[in-house]
């Protein structure tokens, strides 16, 4: 599951909201109790983004991306603490070696933790600049043999336009990878989408802020938007008005 860093900031818009992260941890605990093997990738946008640093602070892109990776480590440690407060055994594996606070990322170690029933949090993206945490989520999902990527955001799916600025935007219930790439829809960046397309890994985009949605997604209920190789309806897409629940 990819969790947006901004979601951890709550209404403040920056940093970590203790109430928000505690609520997310509780939902993850409920899903973990179902017996699911759950791995998480957390963004760092509530602290820093490489692209914004390049434009706003004069930081070069590579340095800005590394700063963003460190922000994901902060978020990962906070989420680990929140989960372990609920007695959920958790391990943080970082693509950048920080031995004092996290284990180094090793694929076999990650899969072993999952087999032992631990929640695994992948920190520091891929460890390389110019790659987003969306791409990191796709890459790690392939490496551990995940069945699906759950893209947990602040909106309830993929829209034809920004629903905040265009009230008449419609939400897609189903899309193909090609739809997303051709239409330039804001699901994940094109590298992440292409990686999922090449390996046939479905993506479910849903609203993390709606209580119970993580469990609904894991249990196969129709929420948000699913992106996959073919749509089940036989059409290129299906859309519903904003805010409509199926």
């Amino acid at each position: 599951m990819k969790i947006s860093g901004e979601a951890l900031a709550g209404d403040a818009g920056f940093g970590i909201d203790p109430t928000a992260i505690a609520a997310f941890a509780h939902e993850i605990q409920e899903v973990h109790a179902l017996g699911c093997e759950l791995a998480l990738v957390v963004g760092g946008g509530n602290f820093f983004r490489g692209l914004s640093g390049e434009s706003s602070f004069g930081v070069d892109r590579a340095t800005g991306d590394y700063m963003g990776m460190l922000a994901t480590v902060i978020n990962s440690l906070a989420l680990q603490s929140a989960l372990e407060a609920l007695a959920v055994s958790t391990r943080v594996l970082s693509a950048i070696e920080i031995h004092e606070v996290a284990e180094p990322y090793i694929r076999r170690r990650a899969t072993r933790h999952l087999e032992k029933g631990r929640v695994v949090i992948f920190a520091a993206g891929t460890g390389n600049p110019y790659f987003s945490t969306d791409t990191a989520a796709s890459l790690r999902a392939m490496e551990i043999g995940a069945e699906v990527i759950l893209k947990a955001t602040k909106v309830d799916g993929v829209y034809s336009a920004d629903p905040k600025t265009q009230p008449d935007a419609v939400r897609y219930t189903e899309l193909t990878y090609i739809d997303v790439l051709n239409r330039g829809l804001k699901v994940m960046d094109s590298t992440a989408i292409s990686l999922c397309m090449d390996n046939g890994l479905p993506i479910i985009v849903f609203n993390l802020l709606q209580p119970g949605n993580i469990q609904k997604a894991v249990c196969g209920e129709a929420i948000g938007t699913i992106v996959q190789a073919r749509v089940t309806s036989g059409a290129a897409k299906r859309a519903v008005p904003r805010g409509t629940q199926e």
Side-chain angles (χ1 to χ4, degrees):
M1 181 167 66
K2 164 67 194 305
I3 300 177
S4 163
E6 290 93 333
L8 301 184
D11 295 331
F14 182 83
I16 297 172
D17 182 341
T19 302
I21 201 167
F24 300 153
H26 181 71
E27 294 218 25
I28 293 168
Q29 177 200 35
E30 292 179 341
V31 172
H32 181 258
L34 297 175
C36 297
E37 292 183 355
L38 188 61
L40 311 174
V41 172
V42 188
N46 53 324
F47 287 110
F48 196 85
R49 288 183 181 277
L51 281 172
S52 64
E54 186 176 23
S55 60
S56 303
F57 304 106
V59 176
D60 67 87
R61 174 64 188 276
T63 299
D65 282 349
Y66 281 120
M67 293 169 69
M69 291 177 215
L70 296 178
T72 72
V73 175
I74 295 172
N75 286 337
S76 297
L77 294 175
L79 187 55
Q80 179 186 38
S81 294
L83 286 168
E84 292 190 336
L86 298 174
V88 178
S89 182
T90 309
R91 295 291 186 272
V92 174
L93 275 63
S94 174
I96 296 176
E97 292 192 5
I98 314 176
H99 294 292
E100 289 77 9
V101 297
E103 299 178 28
Y105 172 72
I106 299 172
R107 184 181 66 85
R108 289 183 179 273
R109 180 177 291 181
T111 55
R112 184 59 176 155
H113 284 319
L114 291 170
E115 289 167 356
K116 289 185 175 182
R118 297 166 181 152
V119 171
V120 173
I121 305 175
F122 297 121
T126 66
N128 300 290
Y130 297 96
F131 290 94
S132 69
T133 48
D134 283 346
T135 300
S138 300
L139 177 62
R140 297 293 182 246
M142 307 303 170
E143 291 182 299
I144 64 173
E147 296 179 20
V148 65
I149 291 182
L150 305 179
K151 167 87 171 179
T153 69
K154 297 193 293 183
V155 294
D156 58 343
V158 182
Y159 281 82
S160 58
D162 187 347
K164 295 180 181 178
T165 59
Q166 299 192 36
D168 59 343
V170 293
R171 175 173 61 84
Y172 299 110
T173 59
E174 297 178 277
L175 288 166
T176 66
Y177 306 112
I178 294 297
D179 285 334
V180 173
L181 294 173
N182 288 345
R183 298 170 188 271
L185 298 173
K186 304 300 183 182
V187 180
M188 291 176 152
D189 62 78
S190 59
T191 304
I193 292 293
S194 297
L195 187 57
C196 290
M197 179 173 65
D198 290 345
N199 292 275
L201 185 68
I203 306 162
I204 299 175
V205 184
F206 66 97
N207 187 354
L208 177 64
L209 305 181
Q210 182 67 37
N213 266 0
I214 299 176
Q215 185 166 331
K216 288 178 181 178
V218 167
C219 292
E221 294 188 32
I223 64 168
T225 304
I226 183 167
V227 182
Q228 53 192 347
R230 297 182 181 85
V231 294
T232 58
S233 63
K237 65 180 185 302
R238 290 194 293 134
V240 297
R242 180 184 178 188
T244 301
Q245 295 294 326
E246 295 185 278

